[in-house]
Amino acid sequence: MSHADWTPAREAETVAVARALADGPIGARANAVAEQDVFAWDTFRDLCASGIVATGFPLAHGGTEAPMRVRVQLIETLARVCSAAASMVTGTDLAGRPIVAGAGPALAAELVPKLVRGELQSAFALTERLAGSDVAGLATVARRDGDGWVLDGVKRYITRATVADWFTVVARVDGAPGARALSAFLVPRDAPGLTVGPMQPKLGWAGVPAAEVFLRGVRVPRERLLGVEGGGMALAQDTLVRARIGHAAIALGRAGGALEMAAQWCGRRRTFGARLGEHQGVQWMLAEMATRLEASRCLMRAVADRYDRGDPEVSVHASMAKLHATDLGMQVTTDCLQLFGGNGYLREFPLERFMRDAKLNQIGEGASEIHKTLIGRHVLRAAAASRHPCLDLDAFDARMADPEPPR
Ligand SMILES: Cc1cc2nc3c(=O)[nH]c(=O)nc-3n(C[C@H](O)[C@H](O)[C@H](O)COP(=O)(O)OP(=O)(O)OC[C@H]3O[C@@H](n4cnc5c(N)ncnc54)[C@H](O)[C@@H]3O)c2cc1C
């Protein structure tokens, strides 16, 4: 797709809108949003009214389809003050893109413009009690029934389940094994047999509640299959890549916000007759955090660029960006809290919120260990397909098979 209409001026203007929201109403209510884990409607409405939610949707359905290089800046800008706000941008994407990609024209025309305007909410329901990292364990079954299906299963940790009007449910057709048996279905909240459990209390990310979703004999007509039967994981692939880049942007935005606050604190707090920021050990801490964040930001922006160019290897690079940014985000928010001393530990200061929120980025959309596994396999595959000119393993093997006696 072409992003030619996203000129540098338009890009700067859109990022400035996000910055004004972050410095204005969204930043101002971020602490209050974190106090009670209910969906932060005011923040969501601001994001819809400003056109930020629309950047994730195609022009044909009323969106503005911003390139990923713009999206990551928007997400980072919001995460600098409020994880919930940033997660509403990435979460709308996670829940909306499968509908954009897989719904038939009539269904898409009915639903997507309303998702763009925030009149409808959707949730993405993949994870289950025994199937998180390992989707092969997915047990929700879609049993064929006439020209449709009947769904049975339980989905766990589903973000926005408490407010969603529609659910994209990934299920195993007729209980067959393997990823090819996974299909995605669109189910309305009021479908007979669908029940949403109570909000699951969690460590952080207040403002975007998660809950279990129970499916007991839920009938899905043929036109609510997203994409093709057995194409559930293929359909989710683009969504998951986008979500991983989004997690990297949230982690970096939040860590950048924590560093900004820590540096302000170090410019004011005095110990041993000097400002904290005048002690060399503190300067070095700030310098290392700033440098690592900038390096991680370069990696994330390079991945965003790959995404926009349609690079076929974007997926593994998205894993690298997510792994690096989210592990770094955890470390930086922890160290920034440390610089606030006892105050950092108090709810009165936002650092403990930033640290608690950082943890989820290391778990959601593939935990760090899973991304390490994917990257490690990629490194091995790439190495097997090439030969380093300084290393001759064939010659080494031959020598070992028929060793010369030492002279
Ligand atoms: C707040 C929240 C919101 C969420 N929102 C959604 C949502 O909207 N929709 C949705 O579908 N899901 C959602 N999830 C689920 C999330 O994507 C999963 O929690 C995540 O993928 C990890 O799966 P799991 O929790 O089952 O952990 P497990 O798969 O049980 O893994 C546990 C730990 O073991 C590690 N591990 C697993 N296998 C290996 C291995 N082979 N080698 C080394 N380490 C390994 C993992 O990295 C992890 O650290 C959400 C989760 C949370 C907490």
Side-chain angles (χ1 to χ4, degrees):
M1 104 216 30
S2 162
H3 293 300
D5 51 343
W6 276 91
T7 59
R10 185 181 183 194
E11 179 175 332
E13 205 176 292
T14 309
V15 176
V17 168
R19 178 76 191 204
L21 281 176
D23 284 343
I26 290 181
R29 68 170 85 95
N31 286 336
V33 162
E35 287 299 314
Q36 39 180 323
D37 200 3
V38 293
F39 191 78
W41 281 107
D42 289 347
T43 293
F44 183 65
R45 287 190 191 108
D46 283 344
L47 294 170
C48 293
S50 62
I52 291 176
V53 162
T55 59
F57 289 96
L59 296 170
H61 295 302
T64 52
E65 189 84 83
M68 191 56 82
R69 72 161 195 279
V70 177
R71 297 265 305 163
V72 291
Q73 293 176 68
L74 298 174
I75 296 162
E76 252 198 288
T77 302
L78 294 165
R80 171 177 157 263
V81 297
C82 179
S83 300
S87 147
M88 283 170 180
V89 177
T90 55
T92 306
D93 211 60
L94 176 71
R97 296 291 292 203
I99 302 175
V100 168
L107 194 56
E110 181 196 336
L111 297 186
V112 180
K114 291 181 182 162
L115 293 173
V116 175
R117 294 193 295 269
E119 292 163 14
L120 284 180
Q121 293 259 16
S122 59
F124 182 68
L126 173 69
T127 308
E128 301 174 3
R129 189 170 65 87
L130 297 177
S133 308
D134 183 7
V135 287
L138 209 106
T140 296
V141 171
R143 193 170 27 84
R144 280 197 192 80
D145 178 56
D147 66 345
W149 296 265
V150 172
L151 304 187
D152 277 288
V154 182
K155 298 291 180 179
R156 191 164 164 75
Y157 323 105
I158 306 308
T159 302
R160 293 176 186 225
T162 56
V163 294
D165 305 285
W166 290 86
F167 294 86
T168 295
V169 177
V170 181
R172 187 173 292 291
V173 175
D174 288 340
R180 291 184 140 198
L182 297 178
S183 300
F185 303 91
L186 197 54
V187 184
R189 184 187 197 82
D190 59 4
L194 186 148
T195 321
V196 176
M199 181 199 84
Q200 297 178 291
K202 48 187 164 53
L203 180 69
W205 284 57
V208 274
E212 287 181 306
V213 178
F214 299 84
L215 302 138
R216 302 280 186 241
V218 176
R219 186 144 208 303
V220 183
R222 172 154 207 85
E223 59 277 14
R224 301 252 174 87
L225 170 72
L226 293 176
V228 295
E229 198 178 286
M233 287 320 287
L235 187 77
Q237 199 48 40
D238 176 58
T239 302
L240 295 177
V241 168
R242 290 173 69 93
R244 284 163 191 174
I245 300 173
H247 267 271
I250 294 178
L252 292 178
R254 181 192 303 110
L259 180 60
E260 184 184 336
M261 289 188 283
Q264 286 169 2
W265 170 258
C266 291
R268 188 172 293 203
R269 171 78 172 169
R270 298 182 75 83
T271 64
F272 302 101
R275 292 195 176 87
L276 266 184
E278 290 174 79
H279 299 294
Q280 193 182 50
V282 170
Q283 288 171 2
W284 287 11
M285 259 178 94
L286 296 173
E288 280 175 15
M289 287 192 277
T291 306
R292 287 182 187 151
L293 282 178
E294 190 54 26
S296 201
R297 191 172 290 118
C298 288
L299 173 59
M300 177 194 67
R301 291 193 178 172
V303 174
D305 196 42
R306 279 180 191 269
Y307 183 89
D308 290 334
R309 283 189 278 116
D311 184 329
E313 295 218 326
V314 68
S315 175
V316 71
H317 290 274
S319 287
M320 290 179 191
K322 184 191 184 268
L323 172 67
H324 196 271
T326 61
D327 284 358
L328 181 65
M330 190 71 242
Q331 193 186 327
V332 166
T333 51
T334 306
D335 287 350
C336 288
L337 184 154
Q338 185 76 11
L339 285 170
F340 275 77
N343 282 316
Y345 201 69
L346 299 185
R347 287 267 163 116
E348 188 184 346
F349 284 81
L351 274 296
E352 57 84 33
R353 161 165 72 89
F354 276 54
M355 192 183 107
R356 283 186 287 114
D357 288 352
K359 193 66 207 159
L360 182 65
N361 290 114
Q362 293 180 297
I363 296 172
E365 293 321 323
S368 294
E369 295 75 18
I370 301 308
H371 290 292
K372 281 184 201 171
T373 304
L374 293 172
I375 298 163
R377 284 183 191 150
H378 171 83
V379 171
L380 288 166
R381 262 196 316 272
S386 71
R387 188 180 165 279
H388 194 286
C390 303
L391 180 69
D392 192 342
L393 289 176
D394 291 339
F396 175 76
D397 283 348
R399 206 153 36 80
M400 289 298 105
D402 187 13
E404 290 275 316
R407 297 186 185 186

